[in-house]
């Protein structure tokens, strides 16, 4: 009963918002589509993204129609060239909300005017109805995350001179676009330095009706976006910025929302009030995790373009101040001898105060998908059900994993090529020790069974449903230590132990569709514990 009421309220709120925008002339016209391009590509032409049409709209604004294999159709992308011409430009990925499209930020949000004195190249890709997720529409699957995080960067790399260093890749969006920005940052904290959300729902589990309505506007069936929030809870957490908040440590976070009312009016914008409450909860979650962020709960403001135009301008001013401060701090560092640890000479991560992750510094990561890559580590988990996995205490000395199934981990090139290393896999069933030599690129490939693998039934069902969390509290740890050198290592001959792979296989990269993380060695009290029961307890089922 409660779910039906929430669904009706969410549907009514989004329908009212759509009608209001249409009456103001601020809704994409029905004729704004790509039908003029003719039939969609088929066969070989449909295997790779490519530009089907492009046009110059102003001195800075370009519009492209790009065929996307991840979506199986052609979509629009607008690009604003930097206000300050330069050889290589940082990038802002600017996302629209539900009910809008790739034209909206420049048509209604004054993005072109606000970025006039900005050094950033601004890319504004289409996002359909605004799920920023994989959506099953009939027999097709529209993979919006792959389009946004893989194909759009490839499009930028091929057509513009941009800097893909994390400090020069920024995400921002309004409403559902802000949800997408925060979620992509949580999935790929090693790829982005900023994430900004204006009036955005950041905890899908507390806004199930709204997410369901948006998915249905994309053409999906009800409760198919992330599944049922009670029985498929891990999928909802894996797609939740709130659930993945731990991954955002080190990312610059900026979020804002209006109050849902104006000073001169007693009317209430329920949608803006809802996202304001979500922003408050998300800020509290970040505070509990001791993650620095900027939260601006406005005393006035509705869920409209007047508010979002103001917020984009305010965020850009913050970026300008941060850039000016970083520039002056850089000159100060140069005068003092640069950004090196004077005692060790190692590079230091300015956001974490220790060795950079790229150099073997420790990090942890929460994920909901079986295949992911983070900071150069590639992890594959063979499993029989969706689950939340913690890839914790990761460094050159080893790592920990929780979950069910078996694993295969390929490290970055942190080790001496050809040198032998002692591997120790410690789990509830005992310890397995074996040696392995690093490959010619200084990488190790480790395989084994997760601690809870014995509790994972071949055919899940009612009789084995308790196995879903049984054993999840167990932690499997892998320790990596350098072994005494020997003659075979010194003369350069070595054997690649375990899973030997070709150079082509080694160069494969995989984009993650989800992420999540629980640090097994953490002693701080957080919303999540070290097992599936604690995670589920953090999100009690709705009535």
């Amino acid at each position: 009963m409660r779910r039906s009421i929430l669904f009706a309220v969410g549907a009514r709120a989004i329908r009212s918002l759509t009608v209001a925008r249409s009456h103001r002339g601020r809704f994409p016209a029905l004729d704004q589509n790509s039908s003029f391009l003719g039939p969609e590509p088929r066969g070989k032409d449909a295997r790779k993204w490519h530009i089907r049409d492009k046009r110059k709209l102003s001195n800075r604004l370009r519009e492209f129609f790009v065929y996307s294999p991840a979506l199986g159709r052609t979509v629009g992308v607008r690009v604003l060239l930097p206000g300050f011409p330069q050889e290589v430009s940082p990038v802002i990925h600017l996302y629209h909300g539900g009910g809008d499209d790739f034209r909206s930020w420049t048509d209604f949000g004054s993005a072109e005017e606000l970025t006039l004195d900005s050094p950033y190249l601004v890319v504004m890709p289409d996002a359909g109805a605004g799920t920023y997720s994989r959506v099953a529409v009939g027999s097709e699957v529209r993979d919006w995350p792959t389009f946004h995080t893989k194909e759009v960067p490839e499009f930028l790399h091929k057509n513009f001179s941009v800097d893909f260093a994390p400090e020069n890749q920024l995400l921002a969006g309004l409403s559902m676009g802000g949800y997408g920005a925060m979620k992509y940052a949580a999935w790929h904290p090693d790829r982005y330095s900023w994430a900004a959300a204006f009036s955005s729902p950041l905890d899908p589990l507390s806004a199930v009706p709204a997410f369901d309505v948006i998915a249905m506007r994309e053409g999906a069936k009800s409760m198919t976006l992330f599944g049922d929030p009670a029985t498929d809870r891990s999928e909802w957490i894996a797609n939740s910025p709130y659930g993945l908040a731990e991954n955002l440590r080190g990312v610059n976070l900026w979020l804002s929302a209006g109050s849902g009312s104006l000073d001169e009016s007693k009317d209430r914008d329920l949608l803006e009030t809802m996202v304001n409450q979500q922003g408050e909860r998300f800020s509290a979650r970040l505070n509990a995790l001791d993650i620095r962020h900027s939260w601006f709960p406005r005393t006035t403001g509705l869920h409209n373009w007047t508010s979002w135009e103001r917020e984009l301008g305010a965020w850009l001013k913050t970026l300008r101040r941060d850039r000016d401060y970083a520039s002056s701090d850089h000159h100060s560092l140069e005068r003092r001898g640069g950004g090196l640890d004077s005692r060790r000479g190692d590079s230091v991560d300015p956001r974490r105060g220790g060795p950079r992750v790229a150099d073997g510094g420790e990090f942890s990561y929460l994920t909901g998908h079986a295949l992911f890559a983070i900071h150069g580590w590639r992890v594959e988990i063979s499993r029989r059900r969706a689950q939340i996995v913690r890839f914790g205490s990761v460094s050159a000395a080893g790592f920990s994993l929780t979950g069910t199934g078996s694993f295969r981990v390929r490290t970055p090139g942190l080790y001496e090529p050809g040198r032998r290393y002692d591997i120790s896999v410690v789990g509830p069933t005992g310890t397995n020790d074996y040696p392995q030599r690093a490959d010619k690129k200084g990488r190790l490939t480790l395989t084994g069974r997760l601690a809870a693998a014995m509790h994972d039934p071949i055919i899940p069902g009612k009789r084995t449903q308790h196995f879903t969390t049984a054993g999840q509290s167990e932690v499997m740890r892998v320790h990596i230590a350098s072994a005494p050198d020997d003659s075979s290592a010194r003369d350069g001959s070595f054997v690649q132990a375990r899973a030997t792979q070709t150079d082509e296989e080694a160069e494969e990269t995989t984009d993650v569709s989800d992420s999540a993380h629980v640090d097994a060695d953490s002693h701080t009290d957080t919303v999540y514990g070290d097992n599936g029961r604690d995670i589920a307890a953090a999100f009690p089922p709705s009535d």
Side-chain angles (χ1 to χ4, degrees), residues 195-499:
F198 318 133
S199 305
S200 302
L202 301 174
D203 181 11
L205 274 170
S206 64
V208 173
F211 276 78
D212 202 30
V213 169
I214 291 171
M216 287 192 291
R217 290 183 63 181
E218 182 85 19
K221 293 183 179 179
S222 178
M223 290 300 170
T224 59
L225 183 59
F226 306 133
D228 187 279
T231 57
D232 301 303
R233 188 159 295 264
S234 62
E235 286 294 333
W236 285 83
I237 297 174
N239 284 274
S240 167
Y242 183 92
L244 306 178
E246 296 176 53
N247 291 353
L248 294 169
R249 192 180 308 278
V251 180
N252 295 294
L253 306 176
W254 202 99
L255 51 149
S256 64
S259 63
S261 64
L262 299 176
D263 292 336
E264 66 275 10
S265 174
K266 294 183 179 180
D267 294 336
R268 200 84 177 163
D269 187 330
L270 298 181
L271 194 54
E272 188 69 8
T273 301
M274 182 269 286
V275 296
N276 188 299
Q277 294 170 349
Q278 290 226 345
E280 198 68 49
R281 291 188 66 245
F282 190 64
S283 177
R285 171 77 174 131
L286 294 174
N287 284 331
L289 293 170
D290 196 27
I291 295 177
R292 295 182 61 184
H293 64 284
S294 298
W295 160 232
F296 300 97
R298 307 300 187 186
T299 56
T300 62
L302 306 179
H303 206 71
N304 60 21
W305 281 103
T306 300
S307 298
W308 302 325
E309 181 179 336
R310 175 192 65 191
E311 298 307 316
L312 176 60
W315 181 58
L316 289 171
K317 289 181 180 178
T318 299
L319 294 182
R320 187 180 305 115
R321 289 195 298 269
D322 183 77
R323 189 170 63 250
D324 293 342
Y325 175 81
S327 178
S328 62
D329 188 55
H330 173 72
H331 292 311
S332 176
L333 277 174
E334 285 184 337
R335 289 193 297 270
R336 290 181 295 176
L340 298 178
D341 187 317
S342 60
R343 294 166 297 177
R344 298 177 53 208
D346 293 336
S347 53
V348 174
D349 186 340
R351 293 181 295 178
R352 294 175 173 83
R356 294 187 305 131
V357 170
D359 299 324
E362 185 174 314
F363 72 93
S364 291
Y365 185 67
L366 192 66
T367 181
H369 272 206
L371 178 63
F372 59 94
I374 181 73
H375 293 301
W377 295 74
R378 177 187 170 95
V379 181
E380 302 171 45
I381 299 176
S382 176
R383 65 187 190 186
R384 299 190 180 100
R385 64 167 66 84
Q387 60 184 326
I388 300 298
V389 172
R390 179 184 289 279
F391 186 41
S393 303
V394 186
S395 72
F399 57 87
S400 66
L401 270 173
T402 62
T404 63
S406 56
F407 70 89
R408 181 176 184 268
V409 176
R410 191 190 70 191
T411 74
L414 299 174
Y415 309 95
E416 181 181 341
R419 187 179 182 87
R420 192 183 70 180
Y421 291 84
D422 290 332
I423 312 300
S424 179
V425 181
V426 182
T429 58
T431 301
N432 180 25
D433 297 323
Y434 62 90
Q436 183 177 153
R437 294 190 185 279
D439 67 14
K440 62 183 179 181
K441 294 187 178 181
R443 301 173 301 193
L444 299 171
T445 300
L446 315 169
T447 60
R449 300 188 70 186
L450 292 173
M454 66 192 81
H455 302 289
D456 193 22
I458 295 177
I459 305 177
K462 290 184 178 180
R463 295 179 58 187
T464 58
Q465 61 185 356
H466 60 287
F467 287 167
T468 301
T469 56
Q472 291 272 337
S473 59
E474 304 286 358
V475 180
M476 188 282 304
R477 291 184 174 85
V478 173
H479 302 286
I480 303 172
S482 177
D485 204 356
D486 56 20
S487 58
S488 62
R490 285 192 296 270
D491 63 18
S493 62
F494 62 94
V495 179
Q496 284 186 236
R498 296 283 173 171

Side-chain angles (χ1 to χ4, degrees), residues 151-162:
E151 293 178 352
V152 169
E154 290 176 355
F155 158 78
L156 294 176
H157 176 73
K158 188 172 182 178
N159 294 279
F160 302 95
S161 179
V162 297

